[in-house]
Amino acid sequence: MAAAAEVDAEARSILERAAASSFPPLHAIHHLLSVGVCVRCIFRFFGAFSYAAPCLSLTASVLHSFLEEHDDFAKSGSCSCLSKDEAYCSICFGVLLPTCYQDDGVEPLRSVSPIDNVTSIISEAVQREGHQVDEFSLEISLPAVIAANDRAIRLYMKEKYGSANWFDEKIFSQQTMSVKEALRILLVPSVEKQMNVKHGNNSFRIRLTYTHDEGSQKLLRLLPNDHGRKRKTESRDGSSKRGSTDDDKQILSESDAFINKTLEGIQDQDFRSLFQLPPEKVLEPCHLVISCQRSPIYIGGRYLKLSRNVSQSCWIIDDERMGEASVEEIIGENVRAICKGDGYKFHAAGREDIDVRMLGSGRPFLVEVLNVRSIPSATEVQQIADKINDSEKKHVRVRNLKLVGSEIWTMMREGEAEKQKQYAALIWTSRPLTDDDLHNISLIKDMEIVQKTPIRVLHRRSPLERKRIIHWMEIEKISGGSNYYLLHLCTQAGTYIKEFVHGDLGRTHPSVGVMLSCRAEILQLDVTDVKMDFLQ
């Protein structure tokens, strides 16, 4: 009993402080209770939320008892603010004052705040999804009907008390705290305590999505445009009929931001004619969905592709896989597994054909891992590299694997067009090459060529004409071979090397064949270096 008395004393102290301040007259407070506004929304309206909200014992019945002692209207016995129906707040729909859990199914838990029960559910959701959390940010989404009802109550108060000396609409609007901000003030300290982590502008986000289907459907039907009307659909006989439940759900999926914008565009006079003032009592609370999302992390390095039967990305045609595997899957799946991510995206600085090996220092790449549960340590990143490099098939190897920032992705995209690439190509010529041929080829420096989109990729790329630079070339004869040579060359990024060798029926000019005045074919191709300054 002593503990209960102490709690009641705390509530009374808050109420006396509010009554002595610029708080509105008690009869106005009492009237808000009577139209179904919860205690926390009342204090939110009048700028007293920050010091009143933490008090667990400050309930509607406690506030009513205080009013009975100080307000003649409450003493008259004509009050219906403590009706027996199971109503929730007509503004926040129970979001700010959720129902208490019960320890034995009979009596509510007085020692635990309902908000603490909500944060326990949040903590359980984070633990259930297995997230490693060192800091968090809280995102809250509320149904637009809450904002509509909030406005309806404020307009109702203006109608009822606008002529009273104490009522100042400007001050009333300025001191009112939004439901979302009030909920954040309630939840953040509780979540910090429950999870033993700090709130901040962090990559790990806890999102609370509150919905109220019935209230939202009523709101949409009231909106003065097509968004509020039930859509007509055609029946099988061609006649029109009203939208079904599925239609309503589709309408409800429209963005709350758009609905709120529509509400903001309605003048007060029109709003009064469209909406009930005050709003009707709410018999169902909001439904809460908790989701956790971490911003993508990036693991980068350079890869070597040692097989001529492995594509860079997963390549499937008519449900049939092309090649044995892909670089994307070999690296991406190993990274995702260690990070416990929902998925991944593979980004590389250019690409090579499935039959082209990537050798030398390797091609820069990034794996963007989505919604990871665990940020990998340097040791775990090395474990990923070891697993890939020690694979029995030896299709792919990685170098300098590391956790990097998202800025590397931008740098890779910006540097992709400027980079130089070196190749080694096994070619065949229709005649033996002379020493003069080999010497003349080696003299070529920074030669410009023009390439139309190759015939082999016209089905998936726009027909364009591109200018590219061949920085240098060297040709060496393969000992013991007839008309077989090894062509080494360095080119601007985006050069089609195969077409540069054989000419692509004149679509690349000049070509190696044209320069040597013979037919030239490419038999094998390797990328031997990708010159970029990062992820070395």
Side-chain angles (χ1 to χ4, degrees):
M1 291 298 291
E6 183 180 341
V7 170
D8 290 341
E10 180 189 2
R12 179 172 293 277
S13 174
I14 290 172
L15 292 171
E16 288 175 350
R17 174 183 174 185
S21 68
S22 58
F23 219 62
L26 296 179
H27 66 271
I29 305 292
H30 195 271
H31 194 74
L32 283 174
L33 272 181
S34 71
V35 297
V37 181
C38 73
V39 175
R40 281 182 170 152
C41 275
I42 290 174
F43 278 86
R44 179 178 61 82
F45 264 144
F46 299 110
F49 186 84
S50 58
Y51 68 81
C55 181
L56 305 184
S57 62
L58 189 52
T59 63
S61 59
V62 170
L63 178 56
H64 181 75
S65 297
F66 180 83
L67 293 172
E68 280 186 322
E69 297 177 16
H70 298 83
D71 181 31
D72 292 338
F73 179 77
K75 293 176 183 177
S76 67
S78 60
C79 172
S80 61
C81 68
L82 294 179
S83 57
K84 300 295 185 183
D85 55 10
E86 297 289 330
Y88 293 85
C89 177
S90 57
I91 298 178
C92 75
F93 291 42
V95 166
L96 296 181
L97 201 64
T99 304
C100 282
Y101 288 163
Q102 295 181 339
D103 54 0
D104 58 0
V106 179
E107 293 295 328
L109 290 171
R110 290 186 58 82
S111 61
V112 177
S113 163
I115 289 295
D116 288 339
N117 288 318
V118 174
T119 56
S120 292
I121 298 172
I122 294 172
S123 178
E124 289 168 6
V126 173
Q127 292 176 8
R128 185 166 56 250
E129 293 194 22
H131 284 284
Q132 167 194 334
V133 183
D134 52 5
E135 197 177 25
F136 74 96
S137 62
L138 190 65
E139 297 179 352
I140 299 172
S141 173
L142 298 176
V145 65
I146 287 181
N149 282 15
D150 189 88
R151 182 177 179 183
I153 287 290
R154 284 189 281 113
L155 288 176
Y156 175 69
M157 292 290 286
K158 180 181 177 181
E159 281 188 355
K160 191 169 183 64
Y161 300 109
S163 60
N165 292 332
W166 62 268
F167 187 86
D168 186 320
E169 182 182 7
K170 184 177 181 180
I171 295 176
F172 184 43
S173 299
Q174 288 177 346
Q175 67 188 6
T176 298
M177 179 183 292
S178 70
V179 174
K180 183 179 290 188
E181 183 58 28
L183 183 58
R184 189 181 302 278
I185 288 173
L186 287 171
L187 284 174
V188 167
S190 184
V191 174
E192 286 182 326
K193 181 179 178 182
Q194 177 79 30
M195 297 177 56
N196 195 30
V197 292
K198 286 294 183 181
H199 177 268
N201 186 16
N202 191 259
S203 61
F204 180 72
R205 307 181 300 281
I206 300 173
R207 183 170 182 82
L208 309 181
T209 303
Y210 290 86
T211 58
H212 197 280
D213 287 352
E214 181 182 355
S216 296
Q217 287 170 357
K218 289 180 179 179
L219 170 62
L220 286 165
R221 286 195 288 268
L222 291 172
L223 289 179
N225 54 36
D226 291 339
H227 297 286
R229 301 186 189 121
K230 285 201 171 184
R231 301 179 181 180
K232 291 183 178 181
T233 58
E234 294 293 323
S235 61
R236 290 186 178 182
D237 60 5
S239 61
S240 64
K241 61 181 181 179
R242 286 294 181 184
S244 64
T245 302
D246 289 340
D247 295 324
D248 291 338
K249 288 182 178 178
Q250 184 178 357
I251 294 171
L252 285 175
S253 68
E254 296 190 52
S255 113
D256 277 339
F258 179 80
I259 297 173
N260 280 319
K261 186 176 180 179
T262 302
L263 288 170
E264 290 171 3
I266 302 174
Q267 298 299 316
D268 285 352
Q269 183 177 351
D270 296 328
F271 190 95
R272 291 187 186 96
S273 66
L274 290 169
F275 293 87
Q276 177 179 325
L277 305 183
E280 63 185 13
K281 290 190 176 181
V282 178
L283 300 179
E284 291 291 333
C286 281
H287 177 66
L288 172 61
V289 174
I290 301 169
S291 58
C292 304
Q293 191 74 28
R294 190 185 297 277
S295 298
I297 67 167
Y298 295 84
I299 291 182
R302 288 181 174 242
Y303 75 80
L304 287 77
K305 182 167 79 75
L306 309 179
S307 169
R308 299 192 189 278
N309 197 29
V310 170
S311 57
Q312 186 189 78
S313 56
C314 183
W315 188 13
I316 297 176
I317 300 178
D318 296 330
D319 297 328
E320 182 177 350
R321 174 185 283 276
M322 301 292 106
E324 294 182 56
S326 71
V327 176
E328 173 186 47
E329 293 167 298
I330 292 171
I331 299 177
E333 284 297 337
N334 280 288
V335 170
R336 186 201 61 78
I338 287 288
C339 300
K340 302 174 184 176
D342 286 348
Y344 63 89
K345 297 178 182 178
F346 187 82
H347 310 283
R351 60 189 303 118
E352 66 282 328
D353 292 338
I354 188 171
D355 59 345
V356 176
R357 294 186 301 178
M358 179 66 238
L359 306 177
S361 61
R363 185 185 298 278
F365 73 89
L366 291 176
V367 179
E368 179 184 356
V369 198
L370 309 176
N371 197 25
V372 303
R373 271 56 174 182
S374 175
I375 306 294
S377 64
T379 300
E380 288 173 321
V381 171
Q382 186 58 48
Q383 289 174 357
I384 297 171
D386 291 343
K387 186 173 181 181
I388 294 170
N389 294 340
D390 294 342
S391 171
E392 183 178 344
K393 292 189 176 180
K394 307 290 185 187
H395 288 325
V396 174
R397 292 182 59 83
V398 292
R399 297 178 57 250
N400 299 336
L401 202 64
K402 64 185 74 173
L403 187 66
V404 297
S406 59
E407 69 279 358
I408 296 295
W409 192 89
T410 304
M411 291 171 59
M412 190 168 71
R413 291 272 76 84
E414 291 175 348
E416 190 172 358
E418 286 76 34
K419 70 178 183 291
Q420 294 182 11
K421 297 166 69 176
Q422 291 183 15
Y423 300 87
L426 176 62
I427 66 172
W428 172 86
T429 57
S430 57
R431 66 169 178 83
L433 301 183
T434 66
D435 290 341
D436 285 343
D437 291 325
L438 304 185
H439 178 68
N440 290 336
I441 287 292
S442 68
L443 294 177
I444 293 174
K445 305 294 181 186
D446 296 326
M447 177 182 70
E448 183 177 271
I449 66 170
V450 177
Q451 293 192 306
K452 293 181 179 179
T453 302
I455 294 172
R456 64 186 172 94
V457 298
L458 264 176
H459 65 286
R460 56 187 171 87
R461 295 196 176 173
S462 301
L464 300 175
E465 188 173 272
R466 303 169 179 84
K467 294 181 179 180
R468 294 291 184 261
I469 302 297
I470 307 300
H471 295 291
W472 55 261
M473 289 189 292
E474 291 180 356
I475 295 182
E476 60 177 292
K477 182 173 177 59
I478 295 179
S479 59
S482 175
N483 295 16
Y484 291 95
Y485 301 87
L486 197 58
L487 171 65
H488 300 275
L489 67 165
C490 176
T491 75
Q492 180 185 353
T495 306
Y496 290 104
I497 303 302
K498 294 176 180 179
E499 283 69 25
F500 172 61
V501 172
H502 59 65
D504 197 25
L505 302 178
R507 296 174 65 83
T508 290
H509 185 81
S511 65
V512 171
V514 168
M515 287 185 284
L516 293 174
S517 300
C518 67
R519 180 182 164 201
E521 297 291 345
I522 187 166
L523 305 179
Q524 287 185 345
L525 179 64
D526 294 330
V527 185
T528 55
D529 196 13
V530 177
K531 293 184 177 297
M532 298 184 80
D533 293 333
F534 54 92
L535 296 171
Q536 293 288 352

